[in-house]
Amino acid sequence: MKLLDLYAKMKGDLNQIEQELERSVTDDHVLLSEASLHLLKAGGKRIRPIFVLLSGKFGDYRLDVMKRVAVPLELIHMASLVHDDVIDDAQTRRGQLTVKSKWDNRIAMYTGDFIHGKALTIAAQLPNPQIHLILSSALVQMCVGEMEQIRDFFNTEQTIRNYLLRIRRKTALLIAISCQLGAVASNTDRSISNSLYRYGYNVGMAFQIRDDLLDLYGTEKQIGKPPGSDMRQGNITLPVLLALKDPAIRDSLLSEIASIRELGGKRDTGRAIEMIRKSDGGEQADQLANRYVKKALQALEGLPNLTAKKNLIDIAHFVGKRNY
Amino acid sequence: MKLLDLYAKMKGDLNQIEQELERSVTDDHVLLSEASLHLLKAGGKRIRPIFVLLSGKFGDYRLDVMKRVAVPLELIHMASLVHDDVIDDAQTRRGQLTVKSKWDNRIAMYTGDFIHGKALTIAAQLPNPQIHLILSSALVQMCVGEMEQIRDFFNTEQTIRNYLLRIRRKTALLIAISCQLGAVASNTDRSISNSLYRYGYNVGMAFQIRDDLLDLYGTEKQIGKPPGSDMRQGNITLPVLLALKDPAIRDSLLSEIASIRELGGKRDTGRAIEMIRKSDGGEQADQLANRYVKKALQALEGLPNLTAKKNLIDIAHFVGKRNY
């Protein structure tokens, strides 16, 4: 099944989640509501709610319970985007003005805090305290990931392990717990929620590596912004780290990155991208993404053969496909 | 009993809370830990933990449970300070460099997020989901209060009701739930935790009005920074709003405030303060603070006559006293 067909099939439940998302950030405080709704309406793939819903199918699926899990997870993701945009000084996201650029940094900071608070308020309505613990620990880990990203900006000496730890916290963890919590809230066996966690973690890793590859190998049309924006920001991703291991290009790539750093956004990243593309950094990163996809598929092996399992397999394959 | 004696008497339990606070923000991520510990070590009155401990005495007092309530409340307060300092562009707090000035705004933003997350992680270890709901709703309300403060900066047309709503969210609410949750976590009757909530709310209101008065009537030595800093920031407080009601000074005070706004931090607030002191705005604000203290004391009336009740009465009187 194609991913679009999956969205079509899940449309009813996803629409209800969308309504709940809107309701959740609607507040008497007009500006906070407006800023949050602006962010919400800019869209997004709602991949975290989809993982919650599919994982919930392995247990006692109840949409009202699934909502209270899916909505906080999507909100936590949204809150991290608002705060990211402050850090990255981003003017647009998904073709829309960011909160920090439509309003200002102060409003973006409190909008993020507000969305965090709303997320936890909804989750707090679930009686299972294990869920609250998993969610709040994820918040902490995500912050650590963001700080690691700041620390590692333009650090060309960082190890691959550094990079992997960072994307684990920044991306994979929230996807992992989306899969896990859908199952936990549906009272599945622990072995099932653990398997789904592993699935989500590995899909999340593959997803972020693919996303980082896209920024270097995609066209502006595919990416929605000029290629190389990670590098301009100082975010040194896997293909770059792998390319730097190639002695034939290491020195010239290092000096290109140094001048990008010096000149900030004004420096064209075209030459650096060209060098990386000549190396086999992209190919190696691609292989690593595929290994994560394979591990994600393995994690599903012991699960009962429901349609939801088939859907999760399709998503993993989709994430695994080159999108550039 | 004097307040210092109360601190002395509670020293054992407060020390344990202090240790738990330190442990709670210690993390493998050195920078986040360092920034959080820097903030923690700058001190503070730990008034929220004190309220938790005293309220807990009305039920089944267990220090290990009290810790899990007191530590998140103090952390939420700390997180709000870090984010406030970003908004207010504050260089020092309690005589120490702020996180945003010792490091930078980005690090302050994530330090706040990190402390929030840690707070909720500790609270999530308590089995009672009502506590999580009260805490996360308070987070939302506090954000709304902060945004109202931004919205109302230099708004001389705001109503007294506006001001009261704002300080309720900004200050009184967290003190109210500190009192309430100490009782809830000790399994008191609902009537007791409700009374303590009302006590805390009214003490919190009186406390903030007193604090706002201090900024206009205190000496630099008493305040720890030059008087009038609220006004320089655009924070129009109760005595100012009351002074503006006096037709004899309204116009000249308005034009003083307008020029403070225009010139930012460079404009001396001496003349504006002098005008306010000539009006009876201070006296009226003082009376309102006293009314809140009285209501706080009334809220305690039905409670059993424990030493903790006597201590809460002492604290209310202390908050009620003019400190300038």
Side-chain angles (χ1 to χ4, degrees):
Chain A
M1 185 156 65
K2 281 190 193 145
L3 227 54
L4 271 180
D5 297 334
L6 180 62
Y7 274 98
K9 210 190 68 171
M10 297 176 75
K11 200 177 163 193
D13 287 4
L14 281 173
N15 275 347
Q16 290 219 34
I17 301 237
E18 202 63 28
Q19 281 170 27
E20 193 63 32
L21 278 168
E22 283 187 30
R23 203 175 309 138
S24 70
V25 297
T26 303
D27 190 278
D28 290 344
H29 194 280
V30 180
L31 184 49
L32 280 171
S33 279
E34 251 182 50
S36 306
L37 283 169
H38 170 77
L39 188 69
L40 196 65
K41 298 262 165 101
K45 295 181 289 297
R46 307 291 186 246
I47 192 74
R48 290 153 200 85
I50 288 177
F51 281 130
V52 171
L53 296 177
L54 291 174
S55 299
K57 299 283 189 188
F58 290 88
D60 166 27
Y61 184 91
R62 284 178 45 203
L63 185 57
D64 58 327
V65 174
M66 291 298 103
K67 272 192 214 170
R68 294 214 170 82
V69 177
V71 168
L73 284 161
E74 187 68 12
L75 291 178
I76 288 175
H77 170 61
M78 279 172 56
S80 77
L81 297 183
V82 198
H83 281 184
D84 277 5
D85 289 338
V86 172
I87 300 298
D88 301 343
D89 203 19
Q91 299 306 309
T92 59
R93 179 181 285 276
R94 298 186 190 121
Q96 305 282 329
L97 288 178
T98 54
V99 173
K100 69 141 270 146
S101 93
K102 188 167 166 140
W103 288 276
D104 62 28
N105 277 342
R106 302 181 308 176
I107 286 169
M109 191 170 79
Y110 283 126
T111 301
D113 289 0
F114 169 78
I115 297 174
H116 267 158
K118 287 284 186 182
L120 294 158
T121 307
I122 294 162
Q125 289 163 19
L126 291 162
N128 183 347
Q130 195 201 345
I131 298 180
H132 315 163
L133 194 55
I134 293 173
L135 274 176
S136 46
S137 308
L139 273 187
V140 172
Q141 290 298 314
M142 285 174 72
C143 270
V144 171
E146 296 293 348
M147 289 288 283
E148 286 171 337
Q149 182 157 328
I150 294 177
R151 180 199 59 194
D152 294 338
F153 272 157
F154 286 112
N155 177 4
T156 47
E157 299 305 316
Q158 63 184 287
T159 60
I160 306 279
R161 189 168 166 271
N162 249 359
Y163 165 85
L164 294 174
L165 268 174
R166 195 168 72 230
I167 68 168
R168 175 162 87 175
R169 291 187 165 121
K170 203 183 91 171
T171 306
L173 182 66
L174 198 63
I175 294 179
I177 69 168
S178 299
C179 296
Q180 179 190 22
L181 291 180
V184 168
S186 309
N187 304 311
T188 66
D189 282 351
R190 203 186 174 97
S191 71
I192 293 187
S193 62
N194 286 349
S195 296
L196 286 164
Y197 178 94
R198 266 190 301 130
Y199 164 82
Y201 165 70
N202 285 295
V203 162
M205 294 296 282
F207 174 79
Q208 187 61 53
I209 294 174
R210 281 264 162 256
D211 206 52
D212 292 344
L213 277 162
L214 182 64
D215 188 61
L216 292 165
Y217 289 83
T219 59
E220 179 155 356
K221 199 173 160 211
Q222 286 169 319
I223 311 175
K225 54 189 174 182
S229 47
D230 283 338
M231 210 186 293
R232 261 192 303 279
Q233 235 175 66
N235 187 8
I236 306 292
T237 58
L238 183 60
V240 185
L241 290 173
L242 290 166
L244 283 169
K245 288 189 184 290
D246 182 347
I249 63 161
R250 180 176 167 85
D251 288 343
S252 41
L253 183 52
L254 279 178
S255 83
E256 270 300 303
I257 294 175
S259 69
I260 291 169
R261 175 179 204 164
E262 227 166 277
L263 295 167
K266 277 159 273 167
R267 185 67 154 91
D268 182 27
T269 53
R271 274 187 58 196
I273 291 180
E274 207 180 304
M275 289 177 201
I276 295 163
R277 287 185 186 174
K278 270 189 200 144
S279 81
D280 58 359
E283 189 51 37
Q284 285 178 41
D286 198 71
Q287 284 169 17
L288 188 55
N290 287 335
R291 280 214 292 283
Y292 280 113
V293 170
K294 211 171 143 194
K295 280 197 222 168
L297 294 170
Q298 282 167 354
L300 296 177
E301 277 169 8
L303 297 187
N305 282 318
L306 310 180
T307 310
K309 176 171 168 178
K310 176 88 186 50
N311 298 146
L312 290 172
I313 292 173
D314 288 344
I315 294 177
H317 282 304
F318 178 81
V319 169
K321 259 198 322 215
R322 273 179 203 242
N323 44 2
Y324 46 88
Chain B
M1 181 156 66
K2 281 192 194 143
L3 227 54
L4 271 179
D5 297 334
L6 180 62
Y7 273 99
K9 209 191 69 169
M10 297 176 75
K11 199 176 162 194
D13 287 5
L14 281 173
N15 276 345
Q16 290 219 34
I17 298 230
E18 203 62 29
Q19 281 170 26
E20 193 63 33
L21 277 168
E22 281 186 31
R23 201 175 311 138
S24 70
V25 298
T26 303
D27 190 279
D28 291 343
H29 194 280
V30 179
L31 184 47
L32 279 171
S33 280
E34 250 181 48
S36 307
L37 283 170
H38 170 76
L39 187 69
L40 196 66
K41 299 262 166 100
K45 295 180 290 295
R46 306 292 186 245
I47 191 74
R48 292 154 198 83
I50 288 178
F51 282 131
V52 171
L53 296 177
L54 291 175
S55 299
K57 298 284 187 186
F58 290 89
D60 167 26
Y61 185 92
R62 284 178 45 201
L63 185 58
D64 57 327
V65 173
M66 291 299 102
K67 271 192 215 169
R68 293 213 171 82
V69 177
V71 168
L73 285 161
E74 187 68 13
L75 291 177
I76 288 174
H77 169 62
M78 280 172 54
S80 77
L81 297 183
V82 197
H83 281 184
D84 278 4
D85 289 338
V86 173
I87 300 297
D88 302 342
D89 203 19
Q91 300 306 309
T92 59
R93 179 180 286 276
R94 298 186 188 120
Q96 305 282 328
L97 286 178
T98 55
V99 173
K100 68 141 273 148
S101 95
K102 186 164 169 146
W103 289 275
D104 63 29
N105 277 341
R106 301 181 309 178
I107 286 169
M109 191 169 80
Y110 284 125
T111 301
D113 289 0
F114 169 79
I115 297 175
H116 268 158
K118 287 283 186 182
L120 294 157
T121 307
I122 293 162
Q125 288 162 20
L126 291 163
N128 183 347
Q130 195 201 344
I131 298 179
H132 315 163
L133 194 54
I134 293 172
L135 274 176
S136 46
S137 307
L139 273 186
V140 172
Q141 290 298 315
M142 286 174 71
C143 270
V144 171
E146 296 293 349
M147 289 288 282
E148 286 171 336
Q149 183 157 327
I150 294 177
R151 179 198 60 193
D152 295 338
F153 272 157
F154 287 112
N155 177 5
T156 46
E157 300 303 316
Q158 64 183 285
T159 60
I160 306 280
R161 190 169 165 269
N162 248 0
Y163 166 84
L164 294 174
L165 269 173
R166 193 169 73 230
I167 67 167
R168 175 164 87 176
R169 290 188 166 118
K170 205 184 90 172
T171 307
L173 184 67
L174 199 63
I175 294 181
I177 70 168
S178 299
C179 297
Q180 178 189 23
L181 292 180
V184 168
S186 309
N187 304 311
T188 66
D189 283 350
R190 202 184 175 98
S191 70
I192 292 185
S193 62
N194 286 348
S195 297
L196 286 164
Y197 176 94
R198 267 189 301 131
Y199 164 83
Y201 165 71
N202 286 294
V203 161
M205 294 296 282
F207 174 78
Q208 187 60 55
I209 293 173
R210 282 263 162 258
D211 206 51
D212 292 344
L213 277 162
L214 182 63
D215 188 60
L216 292 165
Y217 290 82
T219 60
E220 178 154 357
K221 197 171 163 213
Q222 286 169 320
I223 312 176
K225 54 187 174 183
S229 47
D230 283 338
M231 211 186 294
R232 261 191 303 278
Q233 235 174 65
N235 189 7
I236 307 292
T237 57
L238 184 61
V240 185
L241 290 173
L242 290 167
L244 283 169
K245 286 188 186 291
D246 182 348
I249 62 160
R250 180 176 168 84
D251 288 342
S252 42
L253 182 53
L254 279 178
S255 84
E256 268 302 303
I257 294 175
S259 70
I260 291 169
R261 177 180 202 160
E262 227 165 278
L263 295 167
K266 275 159 273 167
R267 185 69 156 89
D268 182 26
T269 54
R271 275 188 57 196
I273 291 180
E274 206 179 306
M275 288 176 202
I276 296 164
R277 287 187 186 174
K278 272 190 197 144
S279 82
D280 59 357
E283 188 51 37
Q284 285 179 42
D286 198 70
Q287 283 169 16
L288 188 55
N290 287 336
R291 280 213 292 284
Y292 280 113
V293 171
K294 211 170 142 193
K295 279 197 222 169
L297 294 170
Q298 281 167 355
L300 295 177
E301 278 169 9
L303 297 186
N305 283 319
L306 310 181
T307 310
K309 177 172 171 179
K310 176 86 187 50
N311 298 145
L312 291 171
I313 293 172
D314 288 344
I315 294 178
H317 283 304
F318 179 81
V319 168
K321 260 197 322 214
R322 275 179 202 244
N323 44 2
Y324 44 88

